[in-house]
Amino acid sequence: MQKLTALILTLFLTGCVFPGVYKINVQQGNILTDEELAQLAAGMPRSQVHALLGTPLMLNPVDLSREYYVYTFQRAGGEIKEQRIIVYYEGDEYASYEAQLLEETPAY
């Protein structure tokens, strides 16, 4: 009886640590490249920037002079890679941007 209990317990515990669990790639946010950022020109209206880059991921309702474009990628439960782009406006016109881009965009 003890051998049967030990066998059942062993089989149960090995099932809990099954190594074949499939983990998906997770990507979120705005995928932007150097080429798209190079098309930005000082004085562009905000609507034209949105047409070029897409809708920003985060808006600060108190300070409308900045918009945040964030992209995160996690491959199969591994390390999360992130790129951030902050677009600055003067009034309603594009002024400049600050970017921390990934070396390569692994999304595709």
Side-chain angles (χ1 to χ4, degrees):
M1 183 67 176
Q2 288 179 339
K3 288 183 181 182
L4 181 60
T5 305
L7 178 64
I8 292 173
L9 186 60
T10 303
L11 289 174
F12 178 74
L13 290 177
T14 56
C16 292
V17 292
F18 180 69
V21 176
Y22 179 71
K23 295 185 179 182
I24 62 170
N25 295 338
V26 178
Q27 61 179 343
Q28 296 177 322
N30 305 81
I31 302 172
L32 298 175
T33 62
D34 285 324
E35 292 82 24
E36 292 168 326
L37 294 173
Q39 294 178 23
L40 294 172
M44 268 185 171
R46 192 179 299 253
S47 61
Q48 192 173 0
V49 173
H50 289 179
L52 182 64
L53 302 181
T55 305
L57 188 65
M58 296 187 308
L59 294 172
N60 184 347
V62 177
D63 183 10
L64 297 177
S65 67
R66 301 176 189 193
E67 294 179 339
Y68 300 88
Y69 292 85
V70 180
Y71 170 73
T72 59
F73 181 78
Q74 182 179 25
R75 188 178 304 278
E79 177 186 351
I80 297 175
K81 297 179 182 180
E82 178 179 283
Q83 79 175 13
R84 294 182 207 174
I85 300 163
I86 303 172
V87 177
Y88 296 98
Y89 294 93
E90 290 178 6
D92 201 33
E93 295 182 345
Y94 167 77
S96 63
Y97 72 89
E98 181 180 314
Q100 284 181 305
L101 297 176
L102 294 173
E103 293 174 11
E104 65 176 359
T105 305
Y108 305 111

